[in-house]
Every structure is written in C-alpha cells, then in structure tokens.
C-alpha cells in the first residue's frame, strides 16, 4: 500500500503569498485591464504552484455565502462582501505593482480602469460576477490536489472584455 499524504498549511484569506507571480505578469494584467481582476484572483487563489493560497471556497454559484480560511478554520462569510474585498485588494495589488514598474502609460491605463469601475455600476456588477465565477469554477481544491491536475491554467491570461 502506498499512502501519499499532502499536508498544506493554508494562508489566511487576505494574507496570500504572491512570490510566484513575476513582475511581467503584472505588466500584462495592467495592459489588459478589463479582465485583470478575475485573472489575478485565479492566479493568486487557485494556482497549483501555491496551494497554500487555496483559501476561498464557493460550493454553489447561487449561494449568498462563501467560505474563507481564517485562523486555521473555514468561516462562512457574505459572498458579496468577500467579492468586494477581493476586488479592492486586487486593485490595490495592481496599483502597487504599477508603482514598482514605473511606467506612466501603464499607470494611466490602470487609473482609467479604476475610474471607470468607480463610476459604472454595471461594469462593477459584471466584474463581481466574473470574480464569483472564477471562485466557483476553481473551488475543486481537493480534486486538484488529489489528482495532480491543475485547476488553473498555468500562467495564461484571459483577455475577456465587458
């Protein structure tokens, strides 16, 4: 009998490790803007290279609640609040990376995107739905870890628009 046990210490939701994401990846995300947040959610929370970041789980896409990992336990939270927090966090990450990159065109593009989101309820609804779908479509953590399959496409970027 061959028992292979995989022990993963999950990071708290909101304290993810981003060390696996190169600066070039962030440049590309800022260039595409429209789908940058869902792409970043997928790479941060569902990248097989960083299973310790698998700290969010959505069992049913229609659910009003979502599970997040915090202080060594899974906690049920309001899905809309968590998605709003993720959106803000990922925009802040992109903002910081844009500052690090020191490219005025990219910074302007990101600021234009942020202003559009700030002033457009419909764009925010669409973005929230995309984030929720990314979480739901990748919430098969156990299957991915047990079978060795990758629930995220390694490094690919979805260039969707809205």
């Amino acid at each position: 009998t061959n028992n292979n046990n995989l022990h993963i210490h999950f990071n708290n939701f909101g304290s993810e490790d981003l060390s696996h994401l190169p600066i070039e990846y962030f440049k590309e995300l800022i260039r595409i803007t429209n789908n940058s947040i869902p792409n970043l959610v997928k790479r941060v929370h569902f990248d097989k290279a960083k299973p310790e970041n698998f700290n969010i789980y959505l069992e049913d896409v229609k659910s009003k609640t979502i599970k997040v990992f915090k202080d060594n336990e899974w906690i049920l939270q309001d899905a809309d609040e968590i998605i709003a927090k993720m959106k803000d966090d990922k925009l802040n990450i992109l903002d910081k990376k844009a500052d690090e990159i020191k490219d005025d065109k990219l910074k302007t593009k990101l600021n234009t995107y942020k202003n559009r989101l700030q002033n457009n309820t419909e764009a925010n609804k669409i973005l929230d739905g995309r984030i929720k779908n990314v979480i739901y479509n990748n919430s098969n953590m156990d299957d991915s870890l047990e079978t060795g399959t990758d629930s995220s496409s390694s490094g690919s970027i979805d260039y969707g628009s809205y």
Side-chain angles (χ1 to χ4, degrees):
T1 305
N2 211 0
N3 286 339
N4 291 330
N5 292 329
L6 181 61
H7 296 282
I8 298 169
H9 174 76
F10 291 109
N11 291 321
N12 280 335
F13 178 76
S15 299
E16 295 79 19
D17 179 1
L18 305 180
S19 64
H20 64 296
L21 301 175
I23 200 70
E24 290 301 319
Y25 174 72
F26 290 102
K27 285 181 185 178
E28 190 61 23
L29 281 181
I30 295 168
R31 280 187 195 107
I32 64 166
T33 60
N34 281 344
N35 219 21
S36 59
I37 303 300
N39 276 300
L40 188 53
V41 166
K42 186 173 183 179
R43 283 293 301 276
V44 168
H45 295 277
F46 302 104
D47 192 326
K48 188 177 160 191
K50 283 289 178 193
E52 60 267 33
N53 285 346
F54 290 21
N55 57 12
I56 188 161
Y57 182 80
L58 181 61
E59 193 170 332
D60 181 352
V61 76
K62 295 177 185 173
S63 179
K64 300 279 186 212
T65 58
I66 197 165
K67 290 180 183 178
V68 297
F69 192 79
K70 195 85 167 169
D71 299 327
N72 293 317
E73 64 181 332
W74 289 97
I75 300 169
L76 216 50
Q77 300 274 299
D78 180 90
D80 291 339
E81 288 176 18
I82 292 297
I83 289 169
K85 180 181 178 356
M86 289 181 86
K87 184 171 48 180
D88 289 345
D89 289 350
K90 300 317 179 239
L91 280 170
N92 287 335
I93 289 168
L94 291 176
D95 218 15
K96 287 177 187 169
K97 293 300 180 180
D99 289 342
E100 285 177 31
I101 294 166
K102 297 183 187 333
D103 181 325
D104 290 340
K105 287 181 184 176
L106 284 181
K107 187 69 175 176
T108 300
K109 185 164 185 151
L110 181 59
N111 285 335
T112 300
Y113 176 64
K114 287 171 29 182
N115 288 336
R116 190 177 67 161
L117 284 177
Q118 203 169 29
N119 300 316
N120 189 330
T121 306
E122 188 59 31
N124 269 291
K125 275 188 193 174
I126 292 168
L127 180 55
D128 291 353
R130 285 187 175 173
I131 293 169
K132 192 171 190 177
N133 286 339
V134 164
I135 297 166
Y136 175 72
N137 289 333
N138 291 279
S139 282
N140 58 344
M141 296 178 281
D142 293 337
D143 293 342
S144 175
L145 294 173
E146 288 174 13
T147 63
T149 58
D150 191 350
S151 63
S152 70
S153 50
S154 61
S156 68
I157 294 179
D158 178 2
Y159 291 88
S161 62
Y162 50 90

